[in-house]
Amino acid sequence: QVQLVESGGGWVQAGGSLRLSCAASGRTFSETIMAWFRQAPGKERVFVAAISWNAVGTWYADSVKGRFTISRDNAKNTVYLQMNSLKPDDTAVYYCAAEPRPGRVRTNDYNYWGQGTQVTVTS
């Protein structure tokens, strides 16, 4: 059974940092793109960041560029999201995703999803 399990969410004050992790099991994702999405209360789930299988390529939403960094450790089958300079607008459930349909990196069109981890940023 394939699973993506997120961890590292929590409460943080504005300006603080959090590091999210997504551990995959059931198969290796070392040859596919992995990504992070988020869904704020009452809003649609949106793209945050993605990383190519070899970490050479990264993609970011404009809203997080320069503050968030995505990385991966293929030996651990894990992807990370380092979030710095957090703002209240970053409050959301953060989801890990793997294996997008071709050309659909910034959309919700992924084959595998985690259950999400809550991030709350207080002002």
Side-chain angles (χ1 to χ4, degrees), residues 48-111:
V48 174
I51 187 167
S52 65
W53 69 273
N54 58 1
V56 170
T58 55
W59 302 265
Y60 294 95
D62 288 343
S63 59
V64 306
K65 202 172 293 184
R67 300 188 298 122
F68 290 11
T69 302
I70 190 170
S71 61
R72 67 191 296 164
D73 185 337
N74 286 339
K76 297 181 178 179
N77 221 16
T78 299
V79 65
Y80 305 96
L81 186 67
Q82 178 67 43
M83 305 186 295
N84 299 329
S85 302
L86 282 161
K87 306 174 182 179
D89 284 350
D90 295 318
T91 295
V93 177
Y94 283 71
Y95 296 91
C96 175
E99 198 172 271
R101 305 271 195 242
R104 307 282 287 174
V105 172
R106 293 177 179 266
T107 74
N108 282 286
D109 203 358
Y110 281 66
N111 287 328

